[in-house]
Amino acid sequence: MGLNEATRAPGGAAQEPFAPDLSVRIGPLVLANPVGVASGTFGYGEEYAALLDLDTLGALYTKAVTVEPRAGNPAPRLAETPSGLLNSIGLANPGLEAFIRDKLPALRARRCAALVNVAGATVDDYVRVVEGIEAAGGVDGYELNVSCPNVKSGGMAFGTDPALVALVTESVRRATKRTLVVKLSPNVTDIRETARAAEGAGADAVSAINTLVGMAIDVKARRPRLAMKTGGLSGPAVKPVGVAAVYRISRAVKIPVIGLGGIMTAEDALEYLLAGADAVQVGTATFADPGAAFHVLEGIEAWMREHRVARVSDIKGLLEG
Amino acid sequence: MGLNEATRAPGGAAQEPFAPDLSVRIGPLVLANPVGVASGTFGYGEEYAALLDLDTLGALYTKAVTVEPRAGNPAPRLAETPSGLLNSIGLANPGLEAFIRDKLPALRARRCAALVNVAGATVDDYVRVVEGIEAAGGVDGYELNVSCPNVKSGGMAFGTDPALVALVTESVRRATKRTLVVKLSPNVTDIRETARAAEGAGADAVSAINTLVGMAIDVKARRPRLAMKTGGLSGPAVKPVGVAAVYRISRAVKIPVIGLGGIMTAEDALEYLLAGADAVQVGTATFADPGAAFHVLEGIEAWMREHRVARVSDIKGLLEG
Amino acid sequence: MVRIDTELLSNRRVAEGYFELRFRWPAAAGAPVPGQFLTVRAREGSDPLLRRPFAFASHDGTRDEATIVIQERGSATRALATLEAGAKLDLLGPLGHGFAFPERGTEPVLVAGGIGVGPMLFLRAALDAAGVSSRFVLGARTAALVPEALLPRGAGVEVRTDDGSLGAKGTAADAVTALLPEARAALYACGPAPLMAALDRIAAERGWPYQAAVEEWMACGVGACMGCAVPLKGGGFLRACADGPVLDGSLVKWD
Amino acid sequence: MVRIDTELLSNRRVAEGYFELRFRWPAAAGAPVPGQFLTVRAREGSDPLLRRPFAFASHDGTRDEATIVIQERGSATRALATLEAGAKLDLLGPLGHGFAFPERGTEPVLVAGGIGVGPMLFLRAALDAAGVSSRFVLGARTAALVPEALLPRGAGVEVRTDDGSLGAKGTAADAVTALLPEARAALYACGPAPLMAALDRIAAERGWPYQAAVEEWMACGVGACMGCAVPLKGGGFLRACADGPVLDGSLVKWD
Ligand SMILES: Cc1cc2nc3c(=O)[nH]c(=O)nc-3n(C[C@H](O)[C@H](O)[C@H](O)COP(=O)(O)OP(=O)(O)OC[C@H]3O[C@@H](n4cnc5c(N)ncnc54)[C@H](O)[C@@H]3O)c2cc1C
Ligand SMILES: Cc1cc2nc3c(=O)[nH]c(=O)nc-3n(C[C@H](O)[C@H](O)[C@H](O)COP(=O)(O)OP(=O)(O)OC[C@H]3O[C@@H](n4cnc5c(N)ncnc54)[C@H](O)[C@@H]3O)c2cc1C
Ligand SMILES: Cc1cc2nc3c(=O)[nH]c(=O)nc-3n(C[C@H](O)[C@H](O)[C@H](O)COP(=O)(O)O)c2cc1C
Ligand SMILES: Cc1cc2nc3c(=O)[nH]c(=O)nc-3n(C[C@H](O)[C@H](O)[C@H](O)COP(=O)(O)O)c2cc1C
Ligand code: FES
Ligand code: FES
């Protein structure tokens, strides 16, 4: 007999207010609710502070942090496509040292969980970032961005090779006991293989999807819209790809799956939760509506109330067919 | 000195009417112009006859033909997503025998080129379809849909394994001297590998992209929108993925590349041509605007006139940066 | 079948969330018959992407006008509901196969469930014009969803609502069940699947012919994409757009 | 910085493809300064997806009103151009850093290229209000693209067109070059990159300060995404939205 039953009035007719439990456990970390903001779309939590109270959310996934400061890619870095956004920001970030000095204290003081998105060009880079932050007191968790080109394998992304995903995951795993999420690239033949590799190497969860490789051309100027030519596609356009990925991954691994890609509304988030996600992230939608993540959270809660669903993790069991 | 120069008036001021050459050579076949209609979106050319004069176009790529008749997948088979369409038609087709009897004569009588899209569950299936049509007099060419699950490798699509792409291409190559196009799946880590495999095995051209794996969930009904759960994503949403694929493929192989995925307008088609395509196909757009392919053709021609581009194959050279 | 840019002549709310759109339909476009449909592109651009199908609800060949009745559901119907007279409409039609007239000696019984009302209104008008009398049953959830202004005049018109707020309480199928089993009825229907399935059972029991206008998601609307598959009891599929939308209801697997 | 749903008060065409949108801007939203911008969500849904940035062209704190001047370019500006008074506007602002007032003893020279006119109009009005006299130069391709009704009144206003159809023939940069080199000018500008680059060269030569309002594609508009990178001569980038849009023009790599 779940909470569901327990709160039903004896006669079964008049229903008492029903309070769903929104918390979600990811590794050692308990998120207050399943909604986070995606890496690269919310900075380090400061810029949108006036517009959205982060502490109402479950988690902040920071912009990537690398060992050295990075200025990022040449401009232009953005191009809009039908229902989508191409970006080639290029991991612009202040680097580990400045991050620890300027950003970490505020992150550690947050009431919502803070997970630092980690990027690198070698396995050692990832380890150094995590070790550095751990030495500085740590944060709630880490999200490994394995979509970065690996210098040792000629620029092929870590995330496209299960063996490399396993290697980077297990190396970082040794550096921290905190929640470790591996963020999977959709630019692979079978995303279940990289998900299993992450699970086998000790990840507490996987998140999916990072951006799809895409390109747009300015026909008038006869040149690629992005200075880097290709970039990463995000936004509603990729939602079906993300939902399919989460559906497949969640049937291939036992660890939690964090779903993202094109979530604009609570209904979009519920697609991911029904498909098998344990939590979600809102990325590009924040650019259209700074309050998007909060509206998503409100809507999930309302839906759980309406359907008297006790826990977020129960939602995936409701998918029929 | 190209046509470009030759048609310029001596003084350089008053320009004479400029007539670009729209024809495109793909293997032994010369298409009257670069615009075709994509497989599965135009049937066998009959249904849209009242709305669009196919013979104004460069090519018709038919709905897939398999050895046996196929009723297709359970319903629903369609779901709209942001700027996209998910389908799981499932290769519904009358089968080789009925195709030869009922459809082939009209296709052979067409003035526009007709390429038969061929699908199968084994390499032998592909060969049998092509041999069957060749024995019945042949058509202008074949487009191999290698996105089908291969029964011998546990349902993994042919198109996700370069060795399998090579095998099916070279087997069909032995069965026909006519134009042979291999249609590549975007659901791979590196589409250049399957493109090179097709080229190495004797394909006259590759076409890209077929649909991306996607899924949509009806949150109200709490079930996948498609009876088959996952399906293939097409439409403007995937255009950046298609353009990136064509850009990469065209720098990896020497054979022509036929670009498709989300082309709605002439500008979209020009993105593909600038990215490196030699010809294009219009698919999902026809559903929104039955005249889409024709408008794309008109627009390409107007653009070539305006920019005094002599040949379609010159367009790719105009990409800067 | 033509694709035309035509003009919206009027748009009026006829029930909660229901709108009747009257538009110019030139003779050159071809006269639609009841059961046939058109597709409309609600907006340029890609959101919504596909054309949306709607059944003709009337056609006036002398004035070159036709109507559809739509229910607001999602982005396309929301956009259509807000259009004002004078707006341009990108239409494609008439599409599909319509209803066949009843055989002599049978009494047509027209059953509309919810927004299935459009094609049944058109059929009623065509039967009236041919001097064939018919019964007309409309089922709706509640009175607010009944487009009263559109209901046919004359005898044999009945409304049922789930909550009894208009007409007798019950479903349209109940009204059909209440007919004499000995009647030689010819059933015509358009509505939600449970209604269509119930009518199939009644028709089978009583040996009545049953012409059903089906709904399925459509992409092309002209028979080219195989997207609108309607599953059949005997296995296999028919295309809602090109083989239907009016099908022999006894063949369809209503599940 | 706030996100507000506010009301369009008027929308008028001020040149070919140029529109001035006047809307309610409540005091609680914060008073914008010249050079600051807002972002607008042109439509719900995903086409267009991103908010679009526009510079404030005026602000009237006593009437709680503000304006932007937009040029029709693509889907968002097309949608905005057709809005009518009373329409709801989803706005976010004021964003970014505006212009600093000139140092004593320098004469502000305001240069607007094309649709760069909005922020320069606002700056001119602010200088006027502060009793600081300024020169105002507007460059446009042709007379039809000059929003004459918006041009500042008073002395020192000059128009240049590429084809000489209004004002002297030439570019806005030509007008600046024609100033006495000995003048102690303070340049302020917003316009296309070639104009901005030309002004940079003039400013460098003559040792004039140069405040430039830059344009870059934006996603967040608040400094979070690093998308709007403006390349600097010395390497590295500044964010157009949060570090700008008004930057020291001598630092920017205009190429
Ligand atoms: C032959 C035919 C005739 C039709 N005639 C009419 C008519 O006369 N009046 C009328 O109002 N509607 C009619 N429909 C249904 C109409 O096409 C849909 O309501 C419309 O496409 C919804 O578009 P939307 O963008 O507003 O909603 P969407 O956002 O596309 O969908 C909203 C919801 O409506 C439901 N829905 C939408 N389209 C369909 C569909 N084709 N089949 C089943 N469920 C669907 C789904 O549950 C979906 O979640 C007809 C459909 C067909 C196939
Ligand atoms: C800080 C700032 C202030 C601005 N102020 C104004 C203003 O006051 N008035 C005004 O009309 N416009 C202004 N713009 C530009 C305005 O944002 C774009 O014109 C608008 O986003 C175009 O949207 P669209 O959907 O209509 O066109 P789209 O379809 O998005 O683009 C059409 C074409 O316009 C060009 N373009 C669009 N946006 C940009 C951009 N951000 N940077 C460079 N090129 C672009 C591109 O060439 C593109 O192909 C400003 C931009 C910035 C960054
Ligand atoms: C501007 C931008 C910057 C991004 N930066 C990062 C990053 O630094 N690290 C990372 O793992 N993902 C990054 N992403 C990917 C997003 O976190 C997310 O995976 C992707 O955008 C899909 O989600 P969405 O459609 O909700 O945006 C970035 C995305 C965007 C749009
Ligand atoms: C309804 C539908 C049916 C399709 N059937 C086939 C098919 O039989 N064989 C094939 O190779 N591709 C098939 N495709 C894929 C298209 O040919 C094309 O590759 C894809 O839709 C991307 O192009 P688009 O975005 O222009 O539609 C189908 C696509 C759709 C939408
Ligand atoms: S909608 Fe395409 S076949 Fe019916
Ligand atoms: S637009 Fe996001 S940082 Fe400037």
Side-chain angles (χ1 to χ4, degrees):
Chain A
M1 193 174 81
L3 185 57
N4 206 322
E5 294 290 309
T7 56
R8 200 162 285 163
Q15 298 207 331
E16 300 202 355
F18 174 80
D21 175 3
L22 285 164
S23 70
V24 172
R25 174 179 289 275
I26 309 280
L29 186 63
V30 177
L31 310 176
N33 64 64
V35 181
V37 281
S39 175
T41 63
F42 221 87
Y44 300 96
E46 294 151 13
E47 295 81 0
Y48 272 111
L51 297 167
L52 178 70
D53 180 6
L54 249 185
D55 289 333
T56 60
L57 296 182
L60 158 68
Y61 300 80
T62 70
K63 175 70 192 164
V65 175
T66 56
V67 175
E68 302 298 332
R70 291 179 60 120
N73 287 330
R77 296 177 176 180
L78 298 170
E80 187 169 319
T81 64
S83 300
L85 170 64
L86 278 173
N87 89 79
S88 65
I89 308 297
L91 304 177
N93 83 96
L96 179 62
E97 203 184 303
F99 168 79
I100 289 174
R101 185 185 61 228
D102 302 335
K103 310 285 180 187
L104 189 58
L107 283 182
R108 288 170 51 90
R110 287 228 162 273
R111 269 194 297 121
C112 86
L115 289 94
V116 173
N117 186 271
V118 181
T122 65
V123 172
D124 193 48
D125 284 348
Y126 287 89
V127 174
R128 281 172 63 196
V129 171
V130 173
E131 281 179 350
I133 297 173
E134 286 290 296
V139 282
D140 296 310
Y142 302 93
E143 182 183 51
L144 305 185
N145 173 1
V146 293
S147 295
C148 315
N150 170 18
V151 290
K152 285 224 178 112
S153 59
M156 203 187 80
F158 285 94
T160 58
D161 179 348
L164 276 175
V165 170
L167 181 64
V168 68
T169 306
E170 112 207 335
S171 307
V172 171
R173 180 74 289 177
R174 280 194 290 269
T176 182
K177 293 199 157 42
R178 298 181 205 262
T179 290
L180 179 60
V181 179
V182 175
K183 183 165 179 183
L184 302 174
S185 164
N187 302 297
V188 295
T189 304
D190 187 349
I191 200 167
R192 289 169 297 196
E193 291 182 12
T194 43
R196 284 193 206 101
E199 179 181 44
D204 292 311
V206 292
S207 51
I209 54 174
N210 211 318
T211 54
L212 279 166
V213 175
M215 181 176 190
I217 290 175
D218 184 336
V219 172
K220 232 191 223 151
R222 299 200 310 255
R223 63 162 66 99
R225 287 193 182 269
L226 301 179
M228 294 297 287
K229 294 172 185 163
T230 60
L233 182 65
S234 65
V238 310
K239 187 180 61 166
V241 176
V243 172
V246 165
Y247 181 80
R248 290 175 161 195
I249 295 166
S250 64
R251 277 146 187 82
V253 301
K254 295 201 180 59
I255 53 177
V257 182
I258 303 168
L260 75 159
I263 295 177
M264 299 275 284
T265 64
E267 197 172 332
D268 296 334
L270 286 162
E271 283 197 62
Y272 276 94
L273 295 170
L274 286 164
D278 297 87
V280 295
Q281 297 178 24
V282 174
T284 302
T286 297
F287 302 150
D289 171 12
F294 184 71
H295 297 143
V296 166
L297 173 58
E298 276 186 324
I300 292 173
E301 186 172 354
W303 191 87
M304 289 176 72
R305 271 184 212 284
E306 187 190 331
H307 293 82
R308 300 182 81 74
V309 179
R311 282 167 300 267
V312 176
S313 57
D314 294 342
I315 299 177
K316 58 166 88 84
L318 299 176
L319 185 72
E320 291 172 16
Chain B
M1 192 174 82
L3 186 57
N4 208 322
E5 296 290 310
T7 55
R8 201 164 285 164
Q15 299 208 331
E16 299 205 355
F18 174 79
D21 175 2
L22 286 164
S23 71
V24 173
R25 175 180 291 275
I26 309 281
L29 187 63
V30 177
L31 308 176
N33 64 63
V35 181
V37 281
S39 176
T41 63
F42 221 86
Y44 300 95
E46 294 152 11
E47 295 82 359
Y48 273 110
L51 297 167
L52 178 72
D53 179 7
L54 251 184
D55 288 333
T56 60
L57 297 183
L60 158 68
Y61 301 79
T62 70
K63 175 70 191 162
V65 175
T66 56
V67 176
E68 302 298 333
R70 292 177 58 122
N73 286 330
R77 295 176 175 180
L78 298 169
E80 188 169 318
T81 64
S83 300
L85 171 64
L86 279 173
N87 89 79
S88 66
I89 308 297
L91 305 176
N93 83 94
L96 177 62
E97 203 185 303
F99 169 79
I100 290 174
R101 186 186 59 229
D102 302 334
K103 311 285 181 186
L104 188 59
L107 284 182
R108 289 170 50 90
R110 289 226 161 273
R111 268 194 296 120
C112 87
L115 290 94
V116 173
N117 186 271
V118 181
T122 65
V123 172
D124 192 47
D125 284 348
Y126 287 89
V127 174
R128 281 172 62 196
V129 171
V130 174
E131 281 178 351
I133 297 173
E134 287 290 298
V139 281
D140 296 309
Y142 303 92
E143 181 183 51
L144 305 186
N145 172 1
V146 293
S147 295
C148 315
N150 169 17
V151 291
K152 285 226 178 113
S153 60
M156 205 186 80
F158 286 95
T160 58
D161 178 351
L164 276 176
V165 169
L167 181 64
V168 68
T169 305
E170 112 206 335
S171 306
V172 170
R173 181 74 289 176
R174 280 195 291 269
T176 181
K177 293 198 157 42
R178 298 183 205 261
T179 289
L180 179 59
V181 180
V182 176
K183 183 166 179 183
L184 301 175
S185 165
N187 302 297
V188 295
T189 303
D190 187 348
I191 199 167
R192 290 170 296 198
E193 291 182 13
T194 43
R196 285 192 204 103
E199 179 180 45
D204 293 310
V206 291
S207 52
I209 55 174
N210 211 318
T211 55
L212 279 165
V213 174
M215 182 175 189
I217 290 175
D218 183 335
V219 171
K220 232 193 223 146
R222 299 202 309 259
R223 63 162 65 99
R225 286 193 183 271
L226 301 178
M228 295 298 287
K229 293 171 186 164
T230 60
L233 183 65
S234 64
V238 310
K239 188 181 61 168
V241 176
V243 172
V246 164
Y247 181 79
R248 291 175 158 193
I249 295 165
S250 64
R251 279 147 186 82
V253 301
K254 296 201 177 60
I255 53 176
V257 182
I258 303 167
L260 75 158
I263 296 176
M264 299 275 283
T265 64
E267 197 172 332
D268 297 334
L270 285 162
E271 283 198 61
Y272 276 94
L273 294 169
L274 286 164
D278 298 87
V280 294
Q281 297 177 24
V282 175
T284 302
T286 297
F287 302 149
D289 170 12
F294 184 71
H295 298 142
V296 166
L297 173 58
E298 276 185 325
I300 292 173
E301 186 172 354
W303 191 88
M304 289 177 71
R305 270 184 210 285
E306 187 191 331
H307 294 82
R308 300 183 82 77
V309 179
R311 281 167 302 266
V312 176
S313 56
D314 294 341
I315 298 177
K316 58 167 85 89
L318 299 176
L319 185 72
E320 291 172 16
Chain C
M1 175 208 326
V2 297
R3 202 212 53 77
I4 52 167
D5 289 306
T6 183
E7 192 196 341
L8 185 64
L9 298 171
S10 69
N11 188 356
R12 62 168 173 153
R13 185 178 172 289
V14 290
E16 199 178 298
Y18 281 43
F19 297 83
E20 182 199 49
L21 279 70
R22 199 166 50 90
F23 48 88
R24 178 98 28 235
W25 188 263
V33 300
Q36 283 192 304
F37 67 102
L38 53 75
T39 62
V40 54
R41 188 170 189 194
R43 266 187 84 229
E44 294 255 326
S46 59
D47 176 22
L49 177 63
L50 297 177
R51 307 178 76 83
R52 296 292 197 267
F54 299 97
F56 283 94
S58 77
H59 173 241
D60 182 340
T62 61
R63 309 173 81 179
D64 280 352
E65 294 177 10
T67 63
I68 55 176
V69 180
I70 68 162
Q71 183 183 19
E72 245 186 285
R73 285 191 183 169
S75 62
T77 47
R78 230 172 3 246
L80 292 174
T82 58
L83 289 183
E84 285 167 22
K88 286 271 156 293
L89 283 180
D90 171 350
L91 302 181
L92 171 60
L95 300 170
H97 293 288
F99 295 103
F101 265 31
E103 280 181 41
R104 276 182 164 281
T106 58
E107 188 193 18
V109 178
L110 282 48
V111 186
I115 190 59
V117 68
M120 306 322 291
L121 291 173
F122 192 8
L123 177 59
R124 166 77 174 208
L127 290 169
D128 282 357
V132 181
S133 69
S134 60
R135 282 169 188 269
F136 188 98
V137 183
L138 173 75
R141 265 197 297 115
T142 185
L145 296 174
V146 176
E148 287 196 75
L150 299 179
L151 287 188
R153 279 141 222 264
V157 176
E158 227 178 299
V159 172
R160 297 269 171 135
T161 51
D162 294 351
D163 62 2
S165 52
L166 191 74
K169 182 167 173 165
T171 68
D174 296 340
V176 176
T177 311
L179 298 174
L180 290 185
E182 305 81 47
R184 295 206 52 220
L187 284 187
Y188 293 85
C190 184
L195 171 64
M196 302 303 272
L199 295 177
D200 183 19
R201 284 188 297 269
I202 299 170
E205 239 166 54
R206 306 189 179 182
W208 293 342
Y210 175 28
Q211 294 188 41
V214 300
E215 270 199 21
E216 257 308 331
W217 286 90
M218 292 184 176
C220 70
V222 302
C225 76
M226 307 290 148
C228 59
V230 179
L232 304 181
K233 286 179 187 139
F237 301 93
L238 287 172
R239 294 165 302 179
C241 70
D243 303 313
V246 176
L247 296 173
D248 178 342
S250 69
L251 299 179
V252 175
K253 197 170 145 198
W254 296 107
D255 73 18
Chain D
M1 175 209 324
V2 296
R3 201 213 53 77
I4 51 165
D5 290 306
T6 183
E7 191 194 340
L8 185 64
L9 298 171
S10 69
N11 188 355
R12 62 170 175 152
R13 187 178 171 288
V14 291
E16 199 177 299
Y18 281 43
F19 297 83
E20 182 199 47
L21 279 68
R22 198 165 51 90
F23 48 88
R24 176 96 32 232
W25 188 263
V33 302
Q36 284 192 301
F37 67 103
L38 53 74
T39 62
V40 55
R41 189 171 188 193
R43 264 187 86 229
E44 293 256 324
S46 59
D47 175 22
L49 177 63
L50 297 177
R51 307 178 75 83
R52 297 291 198 268
F54 299 97
F56 283 94
S58 78
H59 173 240
D60 182 339
T62 60
R63 308 174 82 179
D64 279 352
E65 294 177 9
T67 63
I68 55 177
V69 180
I70 69 163
Q71 183 182 22
E72 242 185 287
R73 283 190 185 172
S75 61
T77 47
R78 224 164 16 237
L80 292 173
T82 59
L83 289 184
E84 286 168 21
K88 286 272 154 292
L89 282 181
D90 170 351
L91 302 181
L92 171 61
L95 299 171
H97 293 287
F99 295 104
F101 265 31
E103 280 181 44
R104 279 182 159 280
T106 57
E107 188 193 19
V109 178
L110 282 48
V111 186
I115 190 61
V117 69
M120 305 324 290
L121 291 173
F122 191 7
L123 177 60
R124 165 77 173 206
L127 290 169
D128 283 355
V132 181
S133 70
S134 60
R135 282 169 188 268
F136 188 100
V137 184
L138 174 75
R141 266 197 297 117
T142 184
L145 296 174
V146 176
E148 287 196 76
L150 298 179
L151 287 188
R153 278 139 222 264
V157 176
E158 228 178 297
V159 173
R160 297 269 170 135
T161 51
D162 295 350
D163 61 3
S165 52
L166 192 73
K169 183 167 171 164
T171 69
D174 296 341
V176 175
T177 310
L179 298 174
L180 289 185
E182 306 79 48
R184 294 206 52 219
L187 284 187
Y188 292 85
C190 184
L195 171 63
M196 302 302 274
L199 295 178
D200 182 20
R201 285 188 296 270
I202 300 170
E205 238 166 54
R206 306 190 178 181
W208 293 342
Y210 176 28
Q211 294 188 41
V214 300
E215 269 198 23
E216 257 307 329
W217 287 91
M218 291 184 176
C220 72
V222 302
C225 76
M226 308 290 150
C228 59
V230 179
L232 303 181
K233 285 180 188 136
F237 301 92
L238 287 172
R239 293 165 303 180
C241 70
D243 303 313
V246 176
L247 296 173
D248 177 343
S250 71
L251 299 178
V252 175
K253 197 170 145 200
W254 295 106
D255 69 19

